[in-house]
Amino acid sequence: MERLGERLGERSAARLAAVLRHLSPRPAAAPAPVSIPTSAQVSVVPHSGRFCYSLDNSLLTTEQRQFYEDNGYLLIKNLVSDEDIERFRKEFSRICRREVKPPGIMIMKDESLRSQFGQSEYVVNKVQDFQEDEELFRYCTLPEVLKYVECFTGPNIMAMHTMLINKLPDSDKQTFLHPMHQDLHYFPFRPASRIVCAWTAMESAHQDNGCLVVQPGTHKTALKPHGYPEWEVQSLGGLGKGMQEGDGKTNKLFHGLLDEDEKIPKVHLIMEKGDTVFFHPLLIHGSGINRTSGFRKSISCHFASSECHYIDVKNTTQEHLEKELQEMVCKKYNAISVELKDIWNFRARLVQGERINL
């Protein structure tokens, strides 16, 4: 165990140094890790005429593939075990209490609650980039999750972005809404059809505690402009058009659509503990406020085929996000400058197959 910890620390330090020096963290002649087997045998052919958003496989039924094709998401009931979820919950609590400090992790919290609750889960509403936390990162390697991920990405899978959300009780301040958005806005890699999010409920998620809300079929639309719009709370699920930066309610990088089409129907995803939804990065979605006295936890990872490629976001709608993210990383690591690709190389982990481009 001590050797594993030493290796983890050395790898973390090397990746951090690579980010700050603008160097690629991947050695040129690194050996390809052994593939993690799954029960889904997937063809590398994107589709067989009928399906554009999933790959031919032996796991999904025709009905499931058609549902994802039409709606941009697929809900699998009771996929992750209670035992695993409890382990993730305990590790999250340890991180909140600062008993463990994984390198590179970003902890978002409500500072106004610290005097009342101290360093605890009553203050932290999200941890992300937990790729260096061995326990939480197990989620990204669970065979029961990867076998579904493979149906959308193919056999060579990268874990690109990790989050554990702890939606705090928020009935009066409305601090922790996430406006309707498309996840592809955050990602400088393509193609979108080979990216998928796995989002697992760690307890019951419903309209009262701020469950996910999706607009089915919007994965077939283009990437839309995002930012910090003026927040207007709507009656449907407490969702609105966004938050204005600096108004005291803004969560950093919680961008929303600048021009939301209110005529598109919204669907609340009611989920029980262990249920997992897989969704396309262009699907418009968000979450409302938690009107209960408890928490609403979820754990998620965005996966991508390692055959995806990075793009230059300059002169695109994603350019302002690049600048904001670079500023945050430079401040966190006391760096003068950093490249967007290096930030993502630091986050990315191969979880199955071979590393090709990402």
Side-chain angles (χ1 to χ4, degrees):
M1 182 65 70
E2 182 178 355
R3 290 180 181 176
L4 177 61
E6 290 175 356
R7 290 200 301 272
L8 185 61
E10 291 171 359
R11 191 169 70 248
S12 303
R15 288 196 179 96
L16 284 169
V19 168
L20 301 182
R21 291 198 309 266
H22 298 179
L23 298 177
S24 172
R26 179 170 55 142
V34 177
S35 173
I36 300 172
T38 74
S39 62
Q41 298 300 313
V42 178
S43 167
V44 295
V45 180
H47 58 85
S48 54
R50 179 174 175 180
F51 300 108
C52 299
Y53 300 103
S54 62
L55 297 158
D56 292 339
N57 64 86
S58 59
L59 177 65
L60 299 181
T61 66
T62 301
E63 290 74 19
Q64 286 175 318
R65 291 187 71 182
Q66 190 62 55
F67 186 90
Y68 190 87
E69 189 80 9
D70 295 338
N71 297 282
Y73 69 95
L74 181 66
L75 178 59
I76 304 297
K77 304 292 288 183
N78 197 30
L79 184 65
V80 179
S81 70
D82 288 353
E83 178 184 358
D84 279 325
I85 289 175
E86 185 58 28
R87 288 178 62 175
F88 300 147
R89 188 189 308 277
K90 288 180 178 178
E91 183 69 0
F92 172 73
S93 294
R94 293 179 66 209
I95 292 172
C96 293
R97 296 193 300 267
R98 296 190 174 182
E99 294 175 8
V100 291
K101 299 179 181 180
I105 200 166
M106 183 180 294
I107 302 175
M108 298 185 179
K109 48 198 168 186
D110 186 337
E111 294 291 349
S112 67
L113 299 174
R114 182 185 290 187
S115 60
Q116 182 179 358
F117 297 108
Q119 299 291 344
S120 72
E121 65 178 324
Y122 291 90
V123 176
V124 176
N125 72 303
K126 179 169 77 169
V127 297
Q128 70 176 41
D129 300 336
F130 56 68
Q131 65 275 356
E132 292 294 348
D133 185 277
E134 186 176 354
E135 182 61 32
L136 288 185
F137 193 72
R138 276 196 324 105
Y139 173 77
C140 306
T141 65
L142 292 176
E144 58 266 38
V145 172
L146 289 180
K147 70 180 182 181
Y148 281 97
V149 170
E150 188 178 354
C151 297
F152 307 104
T153 64
N156 301 313
I157 306 174
M158 300 292 295
M160 299 299 294
H161 187 236
T162 54
M163 290 194 302
L164 194 155
I165 299 288
N166 181 46
K167 190 177 280 287
L168 304 174
D170 199 31
S171 59
D172 54 346
K173 293 182 295 182
Q174 301 173 2
T175 306
F176 303 116
L177 304 100
H178 196 163
M180 301 299 282
H181 65 283
Q182 297 166 298
D183 287 340
L184 193 65
H185 167 69
Y186 296 96
F187 304 149
F189 40 90
R190 301 291 189 275
S193 58
R194 298 284 76 85
I195 304 169
V196 69
C197 179
W199 191 102
T200 298
M202 295 177 63
E203 50 219 331
S204 295
H206 44 79
Q207 194 166 342
D208 288 342
N209 66 4
C211 65
L212 282 179
V213 179
V214 301
Q215 291 183 307
T218 52
H219 64 301
K220 299 179 182 180
T221 63
L223 179 61
K224 302 178 184 300
H226 289 62
Y228 292 111
E230 184 178 351
W231 191 260
E232 292 179 5
V233 178
Q234 304 293 316
S235 59
L236 179 58
L239 286 172
K241 294 184 179 179
M243 285 181 266
Q244 193 171 44
E245 189 170 18
D247 65 0
K249 297 181 180 179
T250 302
N251 284 292
K252 199 68 173 173
L253 293 179
F254 272 33
H255 293 178
L257 296 176
L258 292 177
D259 186 19
E260 181 185 342
D261 187 350
E262 298 289 349
K263 295 189 296 294
I264 300 177
K266 294 183 176 74
V267 174
H268 292 82
L269 297 186
I270 310 302
M271 300 170 64
E272 298 301 324
K273 183 169 67 171
D275 292 355
T276 303
V277 61
F278 298 88
F279 60 89
H280 191 280
L282 281 171
L283 179 73
I284 296 175
H285 65 286
S287 65
I289 61 177
N290 180 3
R291 301 179 185 276
T292 71
S293 59
F295 305 113
R296 196 274 283 153
K297 289 184 177 66
S298 63
I299 188 168
S300 66
C301 178
H302 280 89
F303 297 92
S305 167
S306 73
E307 298 171 51
C308 289
H309 58 275
Y310 286 106
I311 63 168
D312 186 354
V313 300
K314 288 181 174 56
N315 299 317
T316 73
T317 59
Q318 294 176 265
E319 183 173 16
H320 68 289
L321 174 69
E322 175 185 33
K323 294 177 181 177
E324 187 174 354
L325 185 58
Q326 288 171 328
E327 289 172 0
M328 290 179 63
V329 171
C330 286
K331 182 178 180 180
K332 182 177 177 69
Y333 296 110
N334 194 29
I336 297 175
S337 64
V338 64
E339 295 295 327
L340 184 61
K341 181 179 178 179
D342 290 329
I343 296 173
W344 283 98
N345 276 335
F346 170 67
R347 289 171 163 172
R349 297 290 182 277
L350 180 72
V351 291
Q352 182 178 297
E354 299 182 3
R355 189 166 189 170
I356 299 174
N357 293 326
L358 292 181

